[in-house]
Amino acid sequence: MNVDHDLRLGLHPLLADRFSPSAFDPAGVVGDETLALLLEAARWAPSAGNSQPWAFLPVRPGEPDHARVTRFLAPSSARWAPAAGLLIVNLARRHVDDTDLVYSEFADYDLGQAVAHLTVQAQAMSLTCHQFRAFDKDGLTAELRPNPGWTVLTMTAVGVPADRGQPVRRRRSVAELRSAPWSDGP
């Protein structure tokens, strides 16, 4: 009996069916209402001290900022990401207001939570997301010039998949997730 496979059957379909497409349908437009709902989902993600240290620059094909962003894609992501109905530049604010802290150790994690919420909302709307870091981060940061304390970390491509991913998705086992950090157990 494959315990991991049996557990997957109990997952919510939004989680069990999630995948990162390697191609997007360029006809899959992401409209204003859909974009607003995706950002609303991200807005409600948990964060340390309710700091909500995330921001997003959403760009769609045909919009002026789309070309500003896509010119910094690495060759690997430039093959598929521009066809997505929406690209989102994900930023974290690592500076903590009203404290002596110069760096929040939670900001990157909290941004990941927000992007995960956005991803699940997209899945619920029959869209898929592919999160990635294959771009010239320094070049994009120089182009966008975020305010001090803000850091460009990742991007998320959102849209209608042109493929359904791998027929068999391989994941590490739950046992490995629990034991990987320790050679002889905790």
Side-chain angles (χ1 to χ4, degrees), residues 117-171:
H117 276 62
L118 183 149
T119 299
V120 172
Q121 180 65 36
Q123 191 77 14
M125 300 168 76
S126 299
L127 298 171
T128 57
C129 295
H130 187 137
Q131 301 168 33
F132 64 101
R133 174 47 187 89
F135 58 91
D136 175 359
K137 182 178 168 183
D138 293 337
L140 184 59
T141 299
E143 173 71 22
L144 298 179
R145 298 188 329 252
N147 288 327
W150 287 96
T151 303
V152 172
L153 286 182
T154 59
M155 283 194 216
T156 306
V158 183
V160 175
D163 66 22
R164 286 302 307 162
Q166 300 293 324
V168 176
R169 293 173 48 208
R170 303 220 186 280
R171 308 300 284 183

Side-chain angles (χ1 to χ4, degrees), residues 21-88:
S22 58
F24 285 92
D25 180 349
V29 175
V30 176
D32 292 343
E33 185 175 327
T34 298
L35 172 57
L37 284 170
L38 294 171
L39 296 178
E40 183 69 6
R43 189 171 81 90
W44 284 99
S47 62
N50 196 28
S51 59
Q52 302 169 47
W54 51 73
F56 306 99
L57 174 65
V59 299
R60 295 176 278 199
E63 296 177 345
D65 283 338
H66 192 263
R68 284 180 71 202
V69 169
T70 56
R71 71 188 186 101
F72 293 99
L73 296 176
S76 60
S77 58
R79 289 191 290 274
W80 54 267
L86 173 67
L87 285 177
I88 304 172

